[in-house]
């Protein structure tokens, strides 16, 4: 029986841990068991229960304080993820105790890990071997995505991640509750944008616009050809918004298709009700 999960990714400060926390609470409200695995060796604290924590295997401080390694924060983080890739048996032991659950993998905020360093790709391949259906969920802070140039930069990073990891991919624009009223009015232009129009509006009056017009047009065309310009808005204060995002991700990994028969089998209700349900499903 397959297991399901999300690889929660995005730049530092995009709200990955907050997203995981909100989904855990939302899961409790809808009676779904959602658990979290922390894969960030630099994490400091959580406001959700952790199923497994990479810091029990290796901590960022271990790599930075080792006199033989002498890594800085970025190099140390890459080293930790490569160390995890060499010790996937540790992660397998943590996950083997879990059955029929939905797991969020809370990942580090270093973009290189998703775009060209192989550790996260190796993680994806390993989870798939363990019969996980995984969606890549890429978070970007909406406060930095309401200008065309920054928006395109964010989309390019998300596109690079999708191509590298080869997963069902969902983009989420977070922290909508922190936007100003003016920014919220402009948001629709970026949730389902026409990139050529956005870029032309932003750069039209600048001196270098003619020089880069063909480049901007080529970038916009490439992104639209990949159909990756759509972002799901997420307001963490709105349960309906959280549920809409979850439904989109569930659809991407086909969550729930094999759950109903198992729930009917375990359902303690009377036989007549079960016979009725079987008749409908049949």
């Amino acid at each position: 029986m397959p297991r399901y999960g999300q690889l929660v990714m995005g730049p530092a400060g995009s709200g990955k841990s907050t997203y995981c926390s909100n989904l855990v609470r939302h899961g409790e409200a809808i009676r779904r068991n959602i658990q979290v695995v922390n894969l960030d060796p630099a994490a400091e604290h959580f406001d959700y229960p952790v199923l497994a924590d990479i810091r029990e295997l290796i901590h960022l401080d271990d790599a930075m304080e080792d006199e033989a390694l002498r890594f800085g924060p970025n190099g140390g983080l890459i080293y930790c993820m490569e160390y995890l890739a060499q010790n996937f048996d540790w992660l397998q032991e943590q996950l083997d105790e879990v059955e029929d659950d939905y797991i969020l993998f809370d990942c580090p905020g270093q973009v290189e890990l998703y775009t060209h360093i192989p550790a996260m790709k190796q993680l994806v391949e390993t989870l798939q071997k363990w019969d996980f259906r995984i969606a890549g969920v890429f978070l970007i802070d909406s406060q930095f995505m309401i200008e065309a140039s920054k928006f395109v930069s964010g989309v390019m990073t998300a596109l690079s991640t999708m191509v590298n990891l080869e997963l069902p991919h969902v983009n989420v624009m977070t922290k909508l509750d922190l936007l100003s009223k003016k920014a919220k009015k402009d948001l629709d232009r970026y949730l389902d944008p026409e990139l050529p129009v956005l870029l032309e509006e932003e750069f039209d009056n600048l001196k270098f616009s003619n020089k880069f017009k063909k480049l901007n047009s080529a970038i916009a065309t490439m992104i639209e050809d990949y159909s990756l310009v759509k972002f799901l808005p997420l307001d963490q204060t709105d349960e309906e918004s959280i549920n809409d995002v979850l439904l989109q991700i569930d659809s991407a990994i086909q969550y729930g298709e094999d759950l109903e028969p198992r729930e009917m089998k375990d359902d303690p209700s009377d036989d007549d009700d079960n016979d009725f349900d079987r008749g409908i499903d049949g």
Side-chain angles (χ1 to χ4, degrees), residues 103-120:
I103 298 176
L104 311 178
F105 296 89
D106 190 357
C107 299
Q110 192 166 355
V111 173
E112 302 97 291
L113 292 170
Y114 315 118
T115 57
H116 59 276
I117 291 173
M120 298 305 292

Side-chain angles (χ1 to χ4, degrees), residues 181-193:
K181 290 183 179 179
K182 181 180 182 304
K184 287 182 178 179
K185 289 181 180 179
D186 294 337
L187 190 62
D188 287 342
R189 301 173 65 230
Y190 296 94
L191 291 176
D192 194 6

Side-chain angles (χ1 to χ4, degrees), residues 1 96 131 183 215 224 228 244 258-259:
M1 196 69 67
D96 276 350
D131 208 18
L215 175 62
E224 290 195 332
L228 194 76
D244 288 344
D258 59 345
L259 294 184

